[in-house]
Amino acid sequence: MATIRELIIIGGGPIGLTCGLMAKRAGIDYLILEKGALTNSLFNYPLFMTFFSTAERLEIGGIPFTCTTPKPGRKEALEYYRKVVESENLNIQLYNQVESISKNKDGLFELKTKKQTYLAQYVVVSTGFYDIPNLMNIPGESLPKVHHYYREPHGYAFQKIAVIGAQNSAIDVALETYRKGAEVTLIVRQNEIGERVKYWVKPDIENRIKEGNIHAFFNSKLIEIKEKTIVIQTPDGIQEIENDVVMAMTGYLPDNTLLQQAGVQFSEDGKLIPFYHSDTMETNIKNLFLAGVICGGLETHKWFIENSRHHAELIVRYILEHSEKVQ
Ligand SMILES: Cc1cc2nc3c(=O)[nH]c(=O)nc-3n(C[C@H](O)[C@H](O)[C@H](O)COP(=O)(O)OP(=O)(O)OC[C@H]3O[C@@H](n4cnc5c(N)ncnc54)[C@H](O)[C@@H]3O)c2cc1C
């Protein structure tokens, strides 16, 4: 018979860890299940990315995040969250993906992973949104030269690369690869660089475009990808240009499989926002909660670390008010 836990948290990202930390401090018997490395999404972020938040705004549980630069990078953040897990001895299992969730006849949640089945009175889903790329669904998108995830610039040195998108990820890729000798073409659907682009980066990209060092197509759309070229629909008509690599920084989508399995309702406005009460984070399924960026559905820019850390406090408060110790 599987051990019955009071609380299981699915996802070991910054917000899942915050839920674990708050549960531990409240004396709740909890377990965090993470499918990959610790803070796996951050682990898969671009190597040289810089957070737009200052360190203290990425802190969890009031544990200081010391950083010598105004804004931390990926390396510092990974180190910080690892030290939190180590120093607080958080109960987390890595490389253990939750593959299904259901409720048994006793009203307990049954979670299955490849390793075992878990039973829990309460469940938090904090699985983020970084695992499914937002595809362009155009011919040639499955060619090996097309990438939806970016790691570092060196591999693109002296290549003709097209960067698709107008927000932070696209602009970081365009500037980093341009500085490593790539011939960069930026393709943007809107008529300008995204308004959410980091304020200290915006002048840089706008000046590189003005001086012609980065070529930009605005009000344009990539419509086809071929082995050696790409086809762009621009205000001046269809253009076909030489191309070696396509960096499709078109965003990511939450994986709602577990929520759908559990019976969580979603908004019908096309934004696929999962239902939850904002004062408890409980969904329409009793004792099933959401935390972190998964709460935004397709509005993936709505929630981030800074503004979703409090989800953990709301959930733990609810559990403390409602919990009957499981026998
Ligand atoms: C380039 C970039 C820069 C950013 N800069 C900032 C910033 O400056 N400030 C800020 O506040 N936010 C920033 N963000 C957003 C922030 O990183 C995310 O909002 C944050 O990662 C959200 O935390 P989370 O715990 O909700 O989700 P995630 O960090 O995505 O964690 C979810 C975890 O769940 C795991 N998981 C998924 N499915 C399963 C499963 N079935 N079983 C077990 N585990 C599973 C994943 O592996 C992952 O580790 C940035 C994002 C990017 C991409």
Side-chain angles (χ1 to χ4, degrees), residues 18 56 67 78 81 112 156 164 188 202 232 246 256 291 311:
T18 313
E56 73 276 359
C67 187
L78 290 176
Y81 293 117
K112 287 200 166 76
Y156 306 111
I164 320 305
V188 175
K202 213 163 183 195
I232 312 163
V246 173
N256 290 325
H311 293 169

Side-chain angles (χ1 to χ4, degrees), residues 27-47:
I28 293 169
D29 158 42
Y30 74 98
L31 171 64
I32 306 168
L33 296 174
E34 164 54 54
K35 74 173 182 174
L38 183 64
T39 61
N40 197 55
S41 300
L42 276 61
F43 176 60
N44 289 310
Y45 284 175
L47 295 187

Side-chain angles (χ1 to χ4, degrees), residues 64-292:
F65 184 166
T66 48
C67 187
T68 51
T69 51
K71 311 210 183 243
R74 170 186 173 273
K75 233 177 28 205
E76 288 84 14
L78 290 176
E79 200 52 14
Y80 169 71
Y81 293 117
R82 189 184 65 74
K83 289 305 280 184
V84 167
V85 169
E86 190 181 71
S87 59
E88 295 285 333
N89 195 18
L90 292 185
N91 194 8
I92 184 166
Q93 291 179 6
L94 300 176
Y95 301 103
N96 198 3
Q97 175 165 4
V98 176
E99 296 183 337
S100 74
I101 180 170
S102 58
K103 248 188 184 178
N104 69 13
K105 58 180 176 25
D106 308 320
L108 291 171
F109 290 101
E110 204 170 279
L111 287 76
K112 287 200 166 76
T113 78
K114 284 205 173 44
K115 296 181 182 168
Q116 69 177 92
T117 298
Y118 300 84
L119 292 175
Q121 201 179 353
Y122 299 96
V123 168
V124 173
V125 178
S126 58
T127 49
F129 69 71
Y130 202 60
D131 300 319
I132 302 177
N134 187 21
L135 298 180
M136 297 174 286
N137 297 316
I138 59 173
E141 186 163 15
S142 56
L143 285 169
K145 71 177 199 176
V146 181
H147 307 282
H148 278 273
Y149 291 89
Y150 169 74
R151 208 75 176 131
E152 60 175 319
H154 180 78
Y156 306 111
F158 315 123
Q159 301 293 291
K160 291 181 175 38
I161 86 165
V163 181
I164 320 305
Q167 300 301 344
N168 279 307
S169 302
I171 302 312
D172 286 349
V173 173
L175 288 169
E176 270 190 31
T177 53
Y178 156 68
R179 296 215 155 92
K180 296 298 178 219
E183 194 184 309
V184 179
T185 300
L186 191 59
I187 302 172
V188 175
R189 279 182 301 183
Q190 302 79 9
N191 61 359
E192 61 184 356
I193 296 296
E195 68 202 4
R196 287 194 301 274
V197 167
K198 292 169 266 189
Y199 66 85
W200 65 94
V201 171
K202 213 163 183 195
D204 187 358
I205 186 71
E206 286 169 345
N207 289 335
R208 299 299 76 74
I209 292 170
K210 231 180 266 148
E211 68 198 18
N213 283 323
I214 289 180
H215 186 67
F217 287 98
F218 289 102
N219 301 311
S220 299
K221 202 166 169 244
L222 183 64
I223 54 174
E224 186 175 355
I225 303 166
K226 302 179 181 175
E227 285 294 341
K228 298 211 175 322
T229 64
I230 53 172
V231 184
I232 312 163
Q233 188 180 316
T234 78
D236 309 322
I238 302 291
Q239 298 210 21
E240 183 156 357
I241 64 171
E242 279 186 67
N243 172 265
D244 301 313
V245 181
V246 173
M247 296 304 302
M249 310 318 292
T250 49
Y252 307 97
L253 306 171
D255 182 346
N256 290 325
T257 315
L258 292 177
L259 298 183
Q260 282 150 352
Q261 278 176 3
V264 171
Q265 291 158 359
F266 292 85
S267 66
E268 281 156 12
D269 57 2
K271 296 179 183 159
L272 283 181
I273 297 171
F275 177 86
Y276 60 90
H277 299 282
S278 55
D279 56 344
T280 63
M281 303 312 293
E282 190 180 30
T283 65
N284 54 295
I285 304 298
K286 188 165 171 30
N287 296 344
L288 182 69
F289 302 84
L290 299 180

